[in-house]
Amino acid sequence: GLCTDGNVVVEAVNSALAVYDAKTHKLLAGPVGLNPFFGTSGFLSDPRCYYDPPTQRWILTLTEVGEPSAVLIAVSVSSDATDSYSLYSIDTTNDGTLGGCPCFGDQPLLGADTNGIYISTNAFSLVANTNPQAQIYAISKFLLIGGIGVVGQHVIPIAGPGEPYPFSVGPALSPDGQGPTANGGTEYLMASDQDFNSANDVVLWALTNTSSLGPFPALGLSSVVLSTQAYVEPPNATQKKGSIPLGKSVGVTKVGQLDSDDDRMSMPLYWANGQLWASINTAVQVGSNTLAGIAYFIVQPSWKKNVLGGSVVQQGYVVAEGTTGPDNTIYPAIGVTDSGSGEMVFTLSGPDYFPSAAYVPISTSGTGTAIRL
């Protein structure tokens, strides 16, 4: 998890939290273990964080695996990231209607609009081999920040006719913390087609009437499938050869490969300039080489007689040609300004590079030249 207000940066990894000065990189607070931070001894994973500009609050989420299982939430009591935090918990032990619970909410994804905070998980069974089921928790932003508690609505997305099975349905963030005002307030979400073969569509979801979030919420949920360019689960990524003294000490003689994950929607998903900005890990073909690369999509939602629609206004791939051979681009993340100017950051690795951070400008007119940090 990584978030900033432009002055400080909050970073959370699987077991620790720290705060840094954004300009000098000086450590301001921490690192502190997430178990003592949340007052729990459970297995914690998949942290996310978000700075909400309208309320000037820092929000942190992560999953706790066990019996019981939970999604944990921390909200700062002021605009100071080093100040105290209010702590909340959503019990996810029995959230999963396909049977096989107790369950846990894997990889909680974090979104926000004007009215709410949205957490999406995949409910995995702890005792059975069942399909994980997407869960969405829509929470009143103002009651959460006001210390009232986790007040909202639990929504389970169900696939419509011809739609892919809902998995990793990612809610959108926005650079100004605001969302569309249409339909009583709308929070958009997107998911890839996780069929583990080549796919050429994504699913756009919309939670409507988010202004009703509170003690008596009345949300609507719509979805539509949008045709896209092809993408497929990526191969492992190669890396530049180099000295591996640790590997040799345990009998490893070759430089290993990097796990490039699968082709689920990468986070964060951004709502900016009236559009959704998304990216996905994918296999790409560069000459005779099959590499791990990135597919990106800029989507324009639309409504006609209260029916959700949409179109892809820009899409493409991010690959690296390299000098000694093509290189891999993996684990993308997009950040966008209010006006629709953005950057995509990713890991660059291959014959030319040890695993490195790189970025490329992105806009509705396409991407620019990648720059290695």
Side-chain angles (χ1 to χ4, degrees), residues 6-9 19-28:
N7 297 310
V8 302
V9 174
V19 182
Y20 300 88
D21 185 287
K23 297 178 176 60
T24 67
H25 307 163
K26 179 182 177 181
L27 181 66
L28 302 178

Side-chain angles (χ1 to χ4, degrees), residues 16 53 58 62 66 72 95 143 179 240 254 321 330 332-333 360 371:
W58 302 84
L62 75 166
L72 305 179
D95 290 348
L143 295 182
K240 184 177 179 179
K254 294 182 179 180
E321 294 184 9
I330 57 176
V360 62
I371 302 170

Side-chain angles (χ1 to χ4, degrees), residues 138-177:
I139 306 164
S140 168
K141 178 192 295 187
F142 302 102
L143 295 182
L144 184 73
I145 289 172
I148 306 301
V150 179
V151 182
Q153 187 171 338
H154 177 200
V155 180
I156 301 176
I158 305 297
E163 289 186 0
Y165 183 80
F167 184 78
S168 290
V169 180
L173 293 170
S174 60
D176 61 359

